[in-house]
Amino acid sequence: MEPARLKLYAYLDAREHQRTYLAIMRLFTSTLLADLSAGEVAGALAGVERRGGVEPGESRIENVINRLRQLVDWGNLVQGRREVVASSIAEFQHGSVRYQVHKLAVRVQRDVDELLRVPEGAREVSRELLPAVERGLGVLGESLSAALVDGSRRPRELVAEQVTTLFLQHAELAATVRDFYAYLGQVVTRHHLAPDEISGFRDLLVEYIGMVVEDVLRHTPAIARALAGLAAARSELLRVLGTAGLDGRVERARGRSAADWRELTDWFVDRPGRPSQVTALREATARAIGSLLAGVKRATSGGALLPGRRAELLKLARWFDEATPDGAHALYAAAFGLYPARHLSPAPEHDSDNERTRWSDGPVQEVSVSVRGRGDRGARGRPARILDDPMTEQSLLAQAREADGRRAASVAELRSAALARDTLSPGALGVLCELLTLAMAQRDSDRDAGHAVDPVRGLRVTVAHSPGVHTKVRSAGGTLTLHDSTVTLD
């Protein structure tokens, strides 16, 4: 399934006719229920060719048929037939074969067009959606209560409308947060920053990120309480939303399954062993501020041997971009002291680049820190000596064997113990508490069951909800009581 779907992206990285494939896919995704023949596609490509959007000759019918067949092989287009009135055999062949776009290919092309429109700078975080999400959860609880009492069609439609709006707002908020912090991580970890860039990033971190984190932390408690209130009525909510007369093969809108609500809850609420996205946002902000301070320290300390070469390399790249082909060869020789070589070895079977790829679109050459900072590739300092300390090594191995033995003994004790009457040792109680924590972290509510397995020795602990049953685990340090729960060891 996955390899077939990944082939839908093949036309974006085709070695030849890439712009033609892109123009064809844009033609099929520009209208609803596109059903085109090769002749209709060729007519549309003729206008694109006149504007310089594709290579000359790409709108010829024989080339268009080859491109369409290739897109069918990749799975982007679906081939079909229909009856036509034609005056010749060739016209019948070209007109009877119709092409439609695949559902997943529409998504791929839509994402591509959106990506090409995105600017290089930071994306604004939609902070105003946080109070909207908070209000939407509060209103949804009231609407759900009315729908459960009334049972008519209009209250159910109102609940579906509010759920769809809520998940659309959260999806936009989460996307803007991810994009903003991706850009932030891209810029603050650069080794060299210009003074104006440092000033801009300082304002960005001190002012804008402060507002974002403050808004998120201010609205998160109220959102978490609202989600906790809806969690108790989640089954009733999903029942009110229903299936809308659709079978299981139809992709439904967000918010119609328990997994969607669990994902929404995990964005705002921490769980044992699984921090929320709000916690991750706070930690990412702290790391970004630390990276910026380190960049400011490097720029102002003056302790480096030579100033950074980033500005010089950018100036050289601009000269290459503005130079003619002959001037670029001369500039390359003058800058790097390299001249054309006489190749005596056989050429490779395949090169990742070709003559149609501009240098700006080709592979990016990584520049090491020593070249940026000192302008040379020489290593500094002596390599560290590798010390051989057999006594420490044997001591560490003995400690590891001793810890593994204690763990094995604790697991064996738990396998043979009866929790209702036996008293556990401290080691066995520690292993049991560790597995109980992992098992309980898997539960969405106290009524669900959860389990955890020791990855080495296979001991399985299952925690199930049992009203009125109190499980007591005795140990030398006291008694652990689990209310309304049963614990099974196997």
Side-chain angles (χ1 to χ4, degrees):
M1 180 68 71
E2 288 187 2
R5 292 192 172 187
L6 292 178
K7 286 176 63 178
L8 296 172
Y9 293 88
Y11 74 97
L12 299 173
D13 195 32
R15 297 195 62 189
E16 296 179 342
H17 319 299
Q18 186 182 78
R19 292 196 296 171
T20 305
Y21 292 130
L22 192 60
I24 293 176
M25 290 305 300
R26 281 176 175 164
L27 175 64
F28 274 92
T29 56
S30 61
T31 183
L32 299 178
L33 294 178
D35 182 70
L36 304 175
S37 65
E40 293 169 340
V41 175
L45 284 183
V48 180
E49 183 179 333
R50 286 192 296 269
R51 296 191 299 268
V54 296
E55 297 293 331
E58 284 297 296
S59 62
R60 297 174 58 183
I61 187 65
E62 57 270 19
N63 292 332
V64 170
I65 292 176
N66 292 332
R67 308 294 176 263
L68 292 173
R69 288 175 178 173
Q70 182 61 68
L71 288 170
V72 170
D73 292 339
W74 284 330
N76 301 91
L77 298 181
V78 179
Q79 192 174 14
R81 287 185 176 273
R82 86 175 177 191
E83 296 182 359
V84 295
V85 178
S87 59
S88 64
I89 296 178
E91 184 179 350
F92 173 78
Q93 290 176 342
H94 297 160
S96 62
V97 179
R98 315 293 293 186
Y99 297 90
Q100 300 84 31
V101 65
H102 194 277
K103 165 200 166 183
L104 298 180
V106 174
R107 289 194 177 185
V108 171
Q109 185 60 41
R110 184 174 60 210
D111 292 342
V112 169
D113 291 333
E114 182 180 355
L115 177 65
L116 295 178
R117 291 192 299 267
V118 172
E120 291 293 335
R123 183 179 182 183
E124 181 183 6
V125 177
S126 301
R127 300 181 294 116
E128 64 278 3
L129 292 177
L130 283 165
V133 171
E134 180 182 348
R135 289 192 302 269
L137 287 170
V139 174
L140 179 60
E142 300 174 0
S143 302
L144 178 60
S145 301
L148 293 175
V149 173
D150 191 342
S152 60
R153 179 178 180 182
R154 178 53 190 163
R156 292 172 177 267
E157 292 179 348
L158 183 59
V159 170
E161 173 188 337
Q162 293 171 352
V163 168
T164 301
T165 303
L166 172 66
F167 275 85
L168 287 176
Q169 291 171 341
H170 174 259
E172 176 67 15
L173 171 65
T176 56
V177 169
R178 284 194 303 267
D179 291 349
F180 177 78
Y181 276 86
Y183 170 79
L184 193 62
Q186 168 189 341
V187 295
V188 299
T189 55
R190 283 185 4 211
H191 188 265
H192 288 291
L193 293 174
D196 57 339
E197 293 177 322
I198 292 178
S199 176
F201 295 148
R202 180 186 59 205
D203 297 338
L204 182 69
L205 285 171
V206 174
E207 298 179 7
Y208 190 71
I209 296 185
M211 291 189 299
V212 171
V213 176
E214 181 182 353
D215 287 349
V216 171
L217 296 181
R218 183 171 68 251
H219 293 282
T220 293
I223 294 175
R225 288 193 298 269
L227 288 171
L230 285 174
R234 185 177 299 173
S235 59
E236 288 80 3
L237 174 61
L238 297 178
R239 181 176 58 81
V240 168
L241 294 173
T243 61
L246 303 174
D247 58 20
R249 295 174 297 176
V250 176
E251 180 183 4
R252 301 199 64 198
R254 297 294 306 278
R256 271 64 177 176
S257 65
D260 294 337
W261 285 96
R262 188 179 306 113
E263 181 181 349
L264 176 64
T265 305
D266 289 344
W267 206 93
F268 292 100
V269 182
D270 291 325
R271 288 204 290 170
R274 186 178 301 174
S276 65
Q277 290 298 310
V278 174
T279 302
L281 184 145
R282 187 167 55 242
E283 295 175 352
T285 303
R287 291 196 302 270
I289 294 176
S291 299
L292 180 66
L293 293 178
V296 173
K297 183 178 180 181
R298 283 196 303 266
T300 58
S301 62
L305 297 177
L306 290 174
R309 297 297 183 91
R310 180 174 179 271
E312 299 173 4
L313 292 173
L314 289 176
K315 182 186 294 185
L316 180 62
R318 186 177 69 252
W319 288 349
F320 273 114
D321 188 36
E322 298 172 352
T324 62
D326 294 336
H329 287 298
L331 182 62
Y332 185 79
F336 301 104
L338 299 176
Y339 298 86
R342 182 173 299 172
H343 298 280
L344 302 179
S345 61
E349 295 182 1
H350 171 68
D351 193 357
S352 60
D353 226 350
N354 56 50
E355 69 278 1
R356 297 183 180 86
T357 303
R358 298 185 302 172
W359 69 269
S360 58
D361 298 333
V364 178
Q365 178 65 36
E366 294 291 338
V367 181
S368 62
V369 176
S370 61
V371 174
R372 292 198 303 264
R374 299 186 294 268
D376 66 84
R377 298 180 181 273
R380 291 292 186 273
R382 294 182 301 174
R385 297 176 58 190
I386 301 177
L387 300 179
D388 184 15
D389 190 355
M391 295 182 62
T392 302
E393 179 183 357
Q394 293 301 322
S395 176
L396 293 175
L397 290 175
Q399 294 176 10
R401 286 192 293 267
E402 183 179 355
D404 185 70
R406 290 196 300 268
R407 177 83 176 191
S410 299
V411 172
E413 179 182 351
L414 287 175
R415 289 185 184 276
S416 59
L419 298 181
R421 60 177 183 274
D422 292 345
T423 300
L424 301 181
S425 65
L429 180 63
V431 174
L432 179 62
C433 290
E434 175 187 336
L435 295 177
L436 282 176
T437 302
L438 296 176
M440 291 181 178
Q442 294 184 355
R443 305 191 302 176
D444 291 330
S445 66
D446 56 357
R447 298 181 179 276
D448 298 333
H451 68 274
V453 181
D454 185 283
V456 178
R457 293 169 179 85
L459 176 64
R460 182 187 181 94
V461 174
T462 303
V463 181
H465 177 69
S466 299
V469 178
H470 305 300
T471 301
K472 293 186 177 182
V473 180
R474 298 177 177 82
S475 68
T479 301
L480 172 65
T481 303
L482 302 176
H483 297 279
D484 297 332
S485 301
T486 57
V487 179
T488 306
L489 303 177
D490 50 18

